[in-house]
Amino acid sequence: MTTLAHSTTTPARPVDSGIVDPGELDRHTYAESTGTARSTTNAPVWEAAEADLGRPSRRTTGSRGRGLHGQLVQQLGQMIVSGDLGADRPLVPEEIGQRFEVSRTVVRESLRVLEAKGLVSARPNVGTRVRPVSDWNLLDPDIIEWRAFGPHREDQRRELCELRLTIEPLAAGLAAGRSRDEAQQRLSEMITIMSQALGQGDSLTFSRADAEFHGVLVQAAGNRMLDHLFAIVTSALQVSGGPAGGCVRPTEAALAQHRQIVEALGSGEPDSAESSMRELLTECVEVVAGGQQGAQASADHVVPSPREH
């Protein structure tokens, strides 16, 4: 019988770049998933579980993780996203309340939160059931976090990189027609920092400057919707372990692509700016997708144990 994954408290991951304002990203405390085996029966998944609500949840900072209500949302959300509670699985409030020793009010409010995220649905004469992935709000911060430490981590990284491939070339094209000298100067400063970091073998500084380069460029597009969506996507990529900038690794070729983008902005060439950005980000998508395929191939390949002759 499946048990709930044991929750632990871990220190927040260092994401302060020293360049980007630390207040720009929604930062939490995360812990890795335990990868507990899943149940194949119709019995409640939490039937044989130890009481988990008394221990710290994966995220102990922020208003969403406080109290029994927040902890119950966290536990049920993780179980749904990981697949321990599959689509169309009934959730009986009475059973949940008994299992986690919480009041009917706590259960009801927790299920309402999960319903707002698209994870469950409640209908008269049907009850509350888990909804399929297609109904989830995949850009919700909690769902992003739960997926990042579940079996769909690599899928989420690939999907986010593909989403960037849609957002940023468009932003680059818009910025080429609207960019101001101030933005171009800042972008040039980031390229200078990246160049110095590359020469010194300082990949961390390169990555920080790269991340700010893309943030400044999207802001220069002058589209608040793109800016907002970009912030969600890049923050989600950091949670999922993906690149916050446009480069998977520091190289001279990547640096040259950044220069091409700035040159296109300076000369007011939207098509050139858009194509240069797309070329830069395509590598990111290919590397993430290639890593996903490589991990799957490694899992499928069983190396026979050596035999003594």
Side-chain angles (χ1 to χ4, degrees):
M1 183 65 63
T2 303
T3 60
L4 290 175
H6 291 270
S7 302
T8 58
T9 303
T10 59
R13 296 184 175 186
V15 293
D16 181 11
S17 66
I19 297 176
V20 181
D21 181 0
E24 291 181 6
L25 300 178
D26 179 22
R27 292 163 186 170
H28 307 292
T29 304
Y30 305 101
E32 295 294 340
S33 170
T34 60
T36 309
R38 297 176 190 154
S39 172
T40 56
T41 70
N42 292 325
V45 173
W46 49 79
E47 187 174 276
E50 298 178 10
D52 283 6
L53 292 184
R55 30 175 113 116
S57 63
R58 292 185 181 183
R59 181 179 59 229
T60 57
T61 60
S63 60
R64 288 176 293 171
R66 295 175 181 171
L68 292 178
H69 166 262
Q71 292 182 46
L72 183 57
V73 169
Q74 187 85 345
Q75 294 289 353
L76 293 178
Q78 289 170 359
M79 293 168 69
I80 292 171
V81 170
S82 69
D84 289 333
L85 292 174
D88 207 37
R89 184 69 173 266
L91 299 178
V92 182
E94 291 75 12
E95 292 179 353
I96 297 174
Q98 292 174 4
R99 175 63 202 93
F100 294 107
E101 299 181 354
V102 294
S103 68
R104 184 177 303 177
T105 300
V106 170
V107 174
R108 182 171 60 249
E109 292 302 318
S110 298
L111 292 177
R112 284 180 180 174
V113 172
L114 295 176
E115 185 175 15
K117 298 176 184 294
L119 295 179
V120 305
S121 62
R123 291 182 293 172
N125 303 321
V126 176
T128 302
R129 290 182 175 272
V130 176
R131 299 171 71 174
V133 179
S134 58
D135 293 340
W136 299 355
N137 178 7
L138 295 177
L139 292 181
D140 178 277
D142 282 325
I143 294 180
I144 287 171
E145 178 184 325
W146 298 332
R147 291 187 77 202
F149 298 103
H152 304 295
R153 175 188 181 94
E154 296 303 322
D155 287 332
Q156 177 165 265
R157 287 180 60 187
R158 174 184 53 79
E159 291 164 357
L160 289 167
C161 285
E162 291 172 346
L163 189 53
R164 286 190 70 179
L165 193 56
T166 300
I167 296 170
E168 294 191 57
L170 173 59
L174 292 173
R178 304 171 181 172
S179 182
R180 296 172 298 182
D181 292 341
E182 180 182 345
Q184 292 182 30
Q185 180 179 354
R186 188 60 177 157
L187 292 172
S188 297
E189 290 173 357
M190 291 303 102
I191 289 179
T192 299
I193 294 174
M194 292 166 66
S195 178
Q196 294 173 347
L198 181 62
Q200 297 170 358
D202 187 351
S203 59
L204 179 59
T205 298
F206 186 100
S207 177
R208 290 169 171 172
D210 186 18
E212 179 155 349
F213 178 96
H214 288 263
V216 171
L217 179 62
V218 173
Q219 289 180 350
N223 186 308
R224 292 181 181 178
M225 295 294 291
L226 282 179
D227 194 17
H228 179 71
L229 185 56
F230 170 80
I232 295 174
V233 171
T234 53
S235 183
L237 267 171
Q238 287 187 322
V239 174
S240 303
C247 304
V248 177
R249 60 184 68 88
T251 63
E252 286 288 353
L255 193 59
Q257 289 172 326
H258 283 77
R259 290 194 180 101
Q260 290 175 2
I261 294 170
V262 175
E263 290 172 359
L265 264 61
S267 58
E269 300 177 4
D271 291 342
S272 178
E274 185 172 340
S275 62
S276 296
M277 179 62 78
R278 182 172 289 105
E279 182 180 353
L280 175 63
L281 293 178
T282 296
E283 180 188 3
C284 172
V285 175
E286 291 176 346
V287 170
V288 171
Q292 187 177 16
Q293 294 172 0
Q296 182 62 45
S298 299
D300 294 339
H301 179 64
V302 179
V303 179
S305 57
R307 298 179 180 178
E308 295 182 0
H309 297 283

